[in-house]
Amino acid sequence: MRIIKFLLFNVILLNSAFAQEQISLSSYYIPGLVDSTEKGVMIDMLKKIEFIAQVKFQLSLMPTKRVQQSFLHREITGYFPELEELRDPNSCRTSAFMQKAVMAFTRVNDKPITQIKQLENRPIGAVMGYSYGSGIINNPKITLTRANNDLTNVKKLLAGRIDIILGDMHSTIAAIKALNVEKLIHVEQGSPVNLLDVFFVFTPDEIGQSRCNKISIAIEKLKQSDDLYRWFGYR
């Protein structure tokens, strides 16, 4: 009898494994969010999505540009995270699981910047490869001078070569702390100048559309359970 129960249990497990859709997914290293294929806040989210959607992700990490180019050439069929500004128009996207806040940093005694309009006709420092949203990029009155990193922009801001840094509450704050100039630079923490949806991207074929739908349903459930708020402050 015990043997029969053991065999039945293994059959159930086997059927469950086969029932889970195997999804190849690519991503890239983002400190604290995607530290490895097993560690990071976004990896915690993936595990929850797997459970809710009854799927199994086969995750691989590559440099950001390689991920995006591999998708354009259809060498991969899905990846995350992505922004609308950089998304291949011939693709399927899921619901947003978080929003990326674009913050404006100024010298401590300067007027705080909380709106895109305030960026017009001002010398602004930005970082190469960073996305700021079409409302900023496509505004002809806004000119961004791009540097290799936030450290360079912080130095330029304090030297008076730029008036504003566009950045975020992770890498830009880290650069400010690294230079020990927290008391010299100000940011309105609750007032981003732009918010960008962050989501998964898949090929626009039938399989890709199905995966978008499955993951979007799981994302909505994670919103309702407040998991997304706990991880990313997103509702």
Side-chain angles (χ1 to χ4, degrees), residues 167-202:
D168 60 38
M169 297 302 294
H170 299 287
S171 58
T172 313
I173 291 291
I176 291 168
K177 288 181 177 179
L179 294 172
N180 197 28
V181 291
E182 294 98 319
K183 294 181 180 179
L184 302 179
I185 295 177
H186 177 75
V187 61
E188 291 287 301
Q189 292 192 29
S191 301
V193 293
N194 210 2
L195 288 171
L196 310 177
D197 281 354
V198 183
F199 44 79
F200 293 76
V201 170
F202 289 95

Side-chain angles (χ1 to χ4, degrees), residues 131-200:
S131 299
Y132 301 96
S134 58
I136 292 174
I137 297 299
N138 296 334
N139 188 326
K141 295 183 180 180
I142 296 176
T143 301
L144 304 181
T145 302
R146 297 188 184 251
N148 287 327
N149 53 58
D150 284 292
L151 285 168
T152 301
N153 280 330
V154 172
K155 292 174 184 177
K156 288 171 69 176
L157 179 68
L158 295 178
R161 293 168 57 196
I162 56 176
D163 288 345
I164 302 162
I165 298 171
L166 288 183
D168 60 38
M169 297 302 294
H170 299 287
S171 58
T172 313
I173 291 291
I176 291 168
K177 288 181 177 179
L179 294 172
N180 197 28
V181 291
E182 294 98 319
K183 294 181 180 179
L184 302 179
I185 295 177
H186 177 75
V187 61
E188 291 287 301
Q189 292 192 29
S191 301
V193 293
N194 210 2
L195 288 171
L196 310 177
D197 281 354
V198 183
F199 44 79
F200 293 76

Side-chain angles (χ1 to χ4, degrees), residues 56-74:
K56 181 65 178 175
F57 293 115
Q58 297 169 335
L59 184 64
S60 62
L61 301 185
M62 298 185 286
T64 307
K65 289 294 184 184
R66 185 178 166 196
V67 169
Q68 293 165 335
Q69 288 300 312
S70 294
F71 184 79
L72 284 173
H73 293 104
R74 295 300 185 257

